[in-house]
Amino acid sequence: MRKILAATALAGSMALTGLAVAPAAQAATSGATEVTTSTTSAGNWGKYYSSNKKAYTYGKTWKSGGKVYTHWYGKEFTSKQGYIWFRYEYNSGRTGKHFYGWNGSHDHTWSKRDIKKVWTYTCWGGKFSFCGSAHRIY
């Protein structure tokens, strides 16, 4: 009964804020390959976990000389790989995304020009497996 009440309250609050209910319900019941967004981080961000908590990422994002830089760290605790995805929107409105895979512990820095917004999420075991929710980091 509590689960039904919690789901009803969640659906009502999501409907009031204009968010779609179906992706959140699907993410709550399935292996969670659907992602949702949260608020913007300033500078440092994370720890952002995969949906099964076997991998996490954290890092820092900053702008310098017209480029947006992201330095990230990834940790995972098994023989399978962790994956970090980055989705971004350019100033022109175009979008793009890319990912990095790692095993154990890893860190990396990447940058792109003319970026307006950046989101990240963490997956484990496969590029599209056990993905956590998306978080806006810039």
Side-chain angles (χ1 to χ4, degrees), residues 12-110:
S13 67
M14 292 176 84
L16 287 175
T17 59
L19 298 174
V21 176
Q26 181 184 8
T29 58
S30 70
T33 56
E34 188 71 34
V35 295
T36 57
T37 59
S38 67
T39 60
T40 304
S41 299
N44 295 328
W45 49 267
K47 295 180 174 178
Y48 298 144
Y49 287 87
S50 60
S51 64
N52 62 359
K53 305 284 192 253
K54 292 188 178 182
Y56 67 87
T57 55
Y58 60 96
K60 181 177 183 173
T61 302
W62 69 97
K63 187 171 187 173
S64 177
K67 279 185 164 185
V68 173
Y69 293 85
T70 298
H71 185 88
W72 62 271
Y73 301 86
K75 302 260 187 202
E76 66 85 31
F77 311 103
T78 67
S79 60
K80 294 192 176 185
Q81 283 195 315
Y83 295 87
I84 185 168
W85 281 87
F86 294 99
R87 283 187 358 217
Y88 37 88
E89 182 179 324
Y90 292 98
N91 291 328
S92 65
R94 285 187 8 231
T95 60
K97 65 181 175 178
H98 67 274
F99 71 92
Y100 298 98
W102 80 94
N103 201 0
S105 296
H106 190 72
D107 72 299
H108 180 74
T109 301
W110 66 273

